[in-house]
Amino acid sequence: MARLWEFTNVPSAAVGLAVDGCSPPVFFLPLSALALSYARLLARGWPGEGGDAAGRITRAMSSSPGMVAGRDRFTTDFLEAGAGKWIGKEGAEGVYALALKGRGRHEKAVGIAFKIEDGSTRARAAVCLAILEKLGGVTRRGRK
């Protein structure tokens, strides 16, 4: 739980457990904390020790996207298209979290988490791509 606090700034007593349909229990966090954790994960700069683990996680996500989300899934295609520039992962009930690397040497990674209010997954890909386009990660013609 200490590592979770380092990523999210949420005290362990305030973290709940939930089930999202993928079998193991998952942590229940505010969307803002989830966004922060994705930015820190991609930046490989979690506070304290652990940068090596964060790097291994993001490299694994980028090099084997099918292991993150499975075949014929938006997240798999999203990770493949990002080629390490961004990461993303769906959650339960219309939740999605993503992070985009900073462009310059001193620009920080940006983390975003959102929830489709009705819990549906229908709009998730469109919302995710619109956010990425607004942040300058992609254009309508492809990746920048």
Side-chain angles (χ1 to χ4, degrees), residues 113-124:
F114 64 87
K115 180 184 179 349
I116 304 299
E117 189 173 2
D118 69 359
S120 171
T121 61
R122 287 185 314 275
R124 196 163 51 194

Side-chain angles (χ1 to χ4, degrees), residues 46 54 60 72 134:
W46 20 344
D72 300 321
K134 292 278 186 202

Side-chain angles (χ1 to χ4, degrees), residues 27-110:
F27 298 116
F28 184 82
L29 300 164
L31 289 174
S32 58
L34 184 58
L36 175 62
S37 69
Y38 267 66
R40 286 181 172 169
L41 179 66
L42 187 59
R44 296 181 177 95
W46 20 344
E49 299 173 19
D52 291 342
R56 284 193 308 270
I57 291 167
T58 56
R59 282 191 303 277
M61 290 177 80
S62 295
S63 65
S64 299
M67 297 300 288
V68 176
R71 297 170 74 184
D72 300 321
R73 301 285 300 270
F74 168 74
T75 293
T76 302
D77 294 340
F78 183 72
L79 292 170
E80 286 175 354
K85 280 183 67 173
W86 58 71
I87 58 171
K89 178 74 173 97
E90 65 277 347
E93 299 299 319
V95 169
Y96 204 87
L98 65 130
L100 176 66
K101 280 187 178 179
R103 288 190 211 136
R105 183 176 179 173
H106 300 290
E107 194 174 325
K108 293 182 180 183
V110 175

